[in-house]
Amino acid sequence: MKIVIAGAGVVGESLCSELSAEGNDVILIEKEEKVLNKLVETYDITGLVGNGESYETLLEAGADSADIFIAATESDELNIISSIIAKKIGSKFTIARVRNPEYSSNMQFVREGLGISLMINPEMETAKSIANKLMFPVALSVENFFGQKASFISIKVEKNSFLNGTQLKNLEFSTKDKVIICTVRRDENVFIPTGDFTILEGDVVYVAGSIEAVHKFYDRIEQSNLKIGSTLLIGGGTISHYLIGKLIENKNKVKVIENDRTRAEKLSEAYPKAIVIKGDEADQEFLVQEGINNYDATVILTDSDEENVVISMFVNSITNSKLITKMNRTLLLPILENNTRTSTVVPKKVISDMIIRVVRSKTDMRGSTMSFLYRLENQVEFITFEINENSAAVNVPLKDLKLKKGILIVSILRDNKMIFPGGNDAIKNNDSVMIVAIASSIEDFDDILE
């Protein structure tokens, strides 16, 4: 697939890495030659020095024959303009990264009016991810699928957990409250467990089920009954802007600490119910004075990874509150996630997962359409597909399907009812199906078949 990307920032670089690794023909447009050369040397891509909103540059890059054009520069306006031009000259599908809250409130109107195929907002999606995590304070990750009807969460197993030392076949659930432990990460290894698999202390288990069932399972495993009623945000950027609104909707008391006066004033004006303090986010004494110990959760969202790591270590040393830290680079994630109440959010991963899903769904639609994708590092993918009648799996009992190694069919959504299928069950036309795949690059549902 031919993909043209404008902008070599954090998101642009992540997309170059991900999309080229999946065998796509990637052409990157970047006005800074030094930055462009570095990425061309690092990844299997073609580079072009130029401006993404230039008609001539887009033609030279081949946007007129591109399957997908992605505008991921730091400027919303440039992204919108370049996407419009790319669409006009022949790009089949255009994606624009748009971050400004003023645009996001009218996203659908702007997209439809300007003919842009998809507009994505990394900061808004990151805020949604953080809000989900705060609903399950001891969970490392939380994602919804099947159109918000189901969830999966990841939880680290503690010594006193009822899961510790338990074989999966001995776990008992009522039909209504059934969940499935679909993946287990143990140290550097990832398993799709069978009934004889024994869960041990330190394992990270990934649990899927209906939203209600996952909530009940979480309440069973979480013994401290920590509920998030107050949150301290350190850093008042765009993510905070979106997150504050979601927290206030959930009856959360919110305080924000932001060093920049202009940012602080804008947040205070936009959210009069939140307390906004201008101050040094990295000043530990100042954080203590502002009552950091008194909040159920702390979310660290400054623009500096290094500063976020230092603040995280300090917060963990003085409080047992839920801690969520934003990171742009992933090397330090294992250190930060060593504590069960600490989780991280990586905006570029949130957005690259969305774009990879779009790319794969455009690549091949023999028997399905990909509707959800979540990737656990580079080891595991959680994917949902909308099945159509062309799939070779339709109406075949699962016991007769020959699946590739490292594949698990987790659940089926049929007529708004969630099914955990057995060997005699069969996938039907129009079903939504979630699978887990280890070390695979699945584009179509039928790719799981031998």
Side-chain angles (χ1 to χ4, degrees), residues 175-204:
T175 302
K176 181 180 179 182
D177 298 334
K178 183 174 177 58
V179 296
I180 182 170
I181 296 178
C182 48
T183 310
V184 177
R185 185 176 67 185
R186 180 174 294 166
D187 299 324
E188 301 302 318
N189 300 311
V190 179
F191 305 92
I192 293 179
T194 62
D196 294 327
F197 188 92
T198 299
I199 299 172
L200 301 177
E201 177 187 356
D203 287 350
V204 176

Side-chain angles (χ1 to χ4, degrees), residues 252-304:
N252 221 275
K253 296 179 181 178
V254 182
K255 177 186 280 189
V256 187
I257 295 176
E258 167 56 46
N259 191 42
D260 183 83
R261 178 176 293 278
T262 301
R263 274 184 174 184
E265 289 176 348
K266 285 184 177 180
L267 287 177
S268 182
E269 292 171 3
Y271 297 104
K273 291 184 178 180
I275 300 172
V276 182
I277 305 293
K278 180 192 176 301
D280 185 354
E281 305 107 327
D283 186 335
Q284 298 175 3
E285 199 172 303
F286 175 72
L287 294 178
V288 172
Q289 290 175 355
E290 289 301 323
I292 192 170
N293 298 17
N294 301 326
Y295 288 85
D296 299 326
T298 303
V299 183
I300 304 173
L301 300 168
T302 80
D303 296 327
S304 166

Side-chain angles (χ1 to χ4, degrees), residues 19-56:
L19 295 172
S20 62
E22 296 201 351
N24 296 290
D25 178 17
V26 178
I27 302 96
L28 175 64
I29 303 171
E30 169 58 43
K31 60 183 178 181
E32 297 291 338
E33 185 173 1
K34 185 177 179 180
V35 174
L36 180 67
N37 290 339
K38 181 181 178 181
L39 297 188
V40 170
E41 292 171 2
T42 304
Y43 307 111
D44 184 18
I45 63 172
T46 302
L48 176 65
V49 178
N51 192 323
E53 62 181 333
S54 165
Y55 174 82
E56 290 77 13

Side-chain angles (χ1 to χ4, degrees), residues 193-243:
T194 62
D196 294 327
F197 188 92
T198 299
I199 299 172
L200 301 177
E201 177 187 356
D203 287 350
V204 176
V205 297
Y206 288 77
V207 182
S210 69
I211 288 180
E212 295 79 9
V214 169
H215 269 282
K216 289 184 179 180
F217 177 85
Y218 174 84
D219 290 340
R220 184 179 173 190
I221 199 172
E222 161 53 351
Q223 299 175 351
S224 68
N225 295 315
L226 173 64
K227 304 296 182 184
I228 305 300
S230 60
T231 305
L232 176 66
L233 307 185
I234 301 178
T238 309
I239 295 175
S240 292
H241 176 92
Y242 294 117
L243 182 58

